[in-house]
Amino acid sequence: MFDFVKNRARPEIFTLKPYVPGKPIEEVRRELGLEDVIKLASNENPLGPSPLAMEAAAASLGDLSMYPDANCWLLKHKLAAHLGADAGQILVGNGSDELLMMLAAAFINQGDQVIYGTPTFSGYEFTAKIMGADCLEIPLADFTYDLEAILAAVNERTKMIYICNPNNPTGTIVRKQGIQSFMDRVPDQVLVVFDEAYGEYAESPEFISGYQYVREGRNAIVLHTFSKIYGLAGLRIGYALTSSSIAEAVERIRDPFNVNSMAQAGARAALDDSEHLRRSQELNRQGKEYLYESLTRMGLFHVPTEANFIFLDTGRSCRQVFESLLQRGVIIRCGDVFGYPNFIRVTIGTGEQNRRFIESLTQVLRG
Ligand SMILES: *Cc1c(COP(=O)(O)O)cnc(C)c1O
């Protein structure tokens, strides 16, 4: 019989690696018969969503029979005021995952080259490969994006460069001066994508957003999400700031109703709750200090982070550590998928969650 998929599917789809999501709490409860499970695997906000966002999402339930605003008018205008930009420079997506997919669909031709660091967020490879790009992965230097090496690899086929800042899974940032010097030399034929999913957590004065390059009129786009510090991962909504001409191009391939009405309402309200944002930053700062101290005391190497997670060396197989922590109801992320078989990535949680993680890890490493 004619093998339809093998012969007729686009060959690109067979080059894709399936995404490995953080294990859901319900799955661990079911499989291990555990009641009390905590998830420190997907960098969600341990405080949950802003109460204002929850109220607004609930208040939008009555509108569910109507299609959402296809243009996210209210949210775009609110974001524009927030960012000091024009509403026409803003894109809203069903998570920043969808924004990455829209960028790839709008700009990548088969055979174009895209460049990003490794290890990093898997969404760049995934979306670029679907469109037939050649992906060039430049190893991190000292756990940090190596912009000089990326620049040296640029050629006439380079279409996009992705910079994950702070980087997932290492939590590192590229320093101000490094970005400036990179932007001074990167050719205008290249679109620079700054993924700042964790930008709100960065504390270092060395962190700068890519916004300034959008404002300077460079070919740049900055991605943000409501999934991380805003605590709305389940609603699926993210946004981008870029030039109005790039935004218009991407709008051409957007699904008409890509962002649902609850997500729009929740996101608008979340932007009003600066107090929740501040509390989330403060909780993260305290948790980071506690985890640094504990890991140092345990003699475990960990990468200093500007995000809400820590990448650390357990000194033994991460699979083993992962399984043992799971038995104790603690879900974390294994470093092997990132090429670090002895590392794990743990989300900074509430004080209680962090203590439970450290106690469990201590037991696991003793055993
Ligand atoms: C979580 C994450 C995203 C995806 O966010 P969504 O808005 O939930 O799709 C994008 N980039 C990075 C680096 C992330 O860690």
Side-chain angles (χ1 to χ4, degrees):
M1 209 183 110
F2 181 70
D3 187 332
F4 181 80
V5 170
K6 197 164 159 230
N7 288 285
R8 303 305 245 172
R10 297 177 57 235
E12 287 84 0
I13 72 168
F14 299 109
T15 69
L16 304 173
K17 300 175 195 140
Y19 181 73
V20 189
K23 221 172 159 58
I25 288 181
E26 266 317 311
E27 195 174 302
V28 177
R29 284 199 182 121
R30 221 168 32 237
E31 290 174 359
L32 296 179
L34 294 173
E35 254 315 299
D36 188 13
V37 179
I38 59 170
K39 183 180 176 206
L40 300 173
S42 301
N43 308 333
E44 292 135 335
N45 185 337
L47 288 181
S50 136
L52 297 187
M54 286 193 271
E55 264 169 51
S60 76
L61 285 174
D63 300 329
L64 287 184
S65 59
M66 313 292 274
Y67 279 98
D69 174 5
N71 292 312
C72 299
W73 198 93
L74 289 171
L75 178 58
K76 279 186 184 173
H77 280 79
K78 191 159 221 168
L79 282 166
H82 238 73
L83 301 168
D86 198 89
Q89 293 176 267
I90 291 167
L91 293 163
V92 187
N94 187 34
S96 42
D97 282 348
E98 193 204 21
L99 292 166
L100 286 168
M101 193 68 91
M102 296 194 310
L103 278 178
F107 291 112
I108 296 177
N109 282 312
Q110 195 170 35
D112 283 350
Q113 183 193 63
V114 305
I115 312 178
Y116 48 84
T118 186
T120 196
F121 183 59
S122 61
Y124 319 135
E125 174 180 7
F126 181 70
T127 54
K129 273 201 172 158
I130 286 179
M131 299 310 298
D134 284 339
C135 294
L136 185 61
E137 302 184 340
I138 304 290
L140 304 186
D142 198 17
F143 297 97
T144 307
Y145 257 66
D146 186 348
L147 294 187
E148 287 301 313
I150 288 176
L151 206 52
V154 170
N155 63 30
E156 62 290 339
R157 286 193 305 119
T158 309
K159 182 68 67 72
M160 285 199 313
I161 295 175
Y162 299 92
I163 302 176
C164 190
N165 195 35
N167 185 42
N168 177 2
T170 56
T172 53
I173 56 164
V174 267
R175 301 167 77 84
K176 241 185 223 173
Q177 191 50 50
I179 295 188
Q180 184 59 52
S181 150
F182 170 84
M183 290 304 292
D184 285 344
R185 289 172 292 155
V186 72
D188 283 334
Q189 286 85 339
V190 176
L191 175 63
V192 182
V193 182
F194 292 93
D195 183 352
E196 298 176 3
Y198 303 98
E200 295 89 351
Y201 284 109
E203 296 184 86
S204 164
E206 280 299 327
F207 174 79
I208 47 160
S209 169
Y211 288 153
Q212 97 174 63
Y213 301 103
V214 173
R215 291 196 187 99
E216 287 171 13
R218 301 296 304 274
N219 293 324
I221 182 163
V222 182
L223 305 181
H224 272 268
T225 179
F226 286 97
S227 300
K228 304 291 158 61
I229 202 163
Y230 288 103
L232 297 173
L235 280 183
R236 313 302 305 127
I237 181 163
Y239 64 94
L241 181 75
T242 185
S243 69
S244 48
S245 73
I246 290 173
E248 268 169 39
V250 176
E251 285 286 356
R252 289 173 177 273
I253 51 88
R254 182 174 62 77
D255 270 358
F257 302 108
N258 63 327
V259 181
N260 71 74
S261 39
M262 274 186 112
Q264 294 187 38
R268 291 199 307 267
L271 287 174
D272 287 333
D273 200 344
S274 50
E275 177 55 23
H276 185 262
L277 189 82
R278 204 197 51 74
R279 279 178 51 225
S280 304
Q281 288 166 328
E282 181 53 31
L283 183 73
N284 195 65
R285 195 175 300 128
Q286 289 169 5
K288 178 158 63 171
E289 254 172 55
Y290 167 77
L291 289 171
Y292 280 177
E293 263 172 42
S294 307
L295 295 170
T296 303
R297 181 166 36 74
M298 295 162 77
L300 298 179
F301 170 79
H302 50 282
V303 182
T305 185
E306 292 294 330
N308 66 337
F309 51 84
I310 299 184
F311 199 49
L312 66 110
D313 189 350
T314 65
R316 65 178 78 178
S317 153
C318 69
R319 282 288 141 194
Q320 202 186 318
V321 174
F322 173 82
E323 290 299 336
S324 306
L325 284 173
L326 213 54
Q327 300 292 333
R328 289 166 172 78
V330 179
I331 316 173
I332 50 87
R333 205 56 160 265
C334 259
D336 53 1
V337 292
F338 302 114
Y340 285 81
N342 286 356
F343 277 64
I344 59 173
R345 191 195 68 194
V346 61
T347 304
I348 300 172
T350 61
E352 196 184 319
Q353 291 173 335
N354 298 332
R355 278 190 293 280
R356 176 153 164 209
F357 164 71
I358 289 295
E359 276 164 27
S360 305
L361 184 65
T362 305
Q363 290 167 6
V364 165
L365 295 181
R366 227 185 259 139

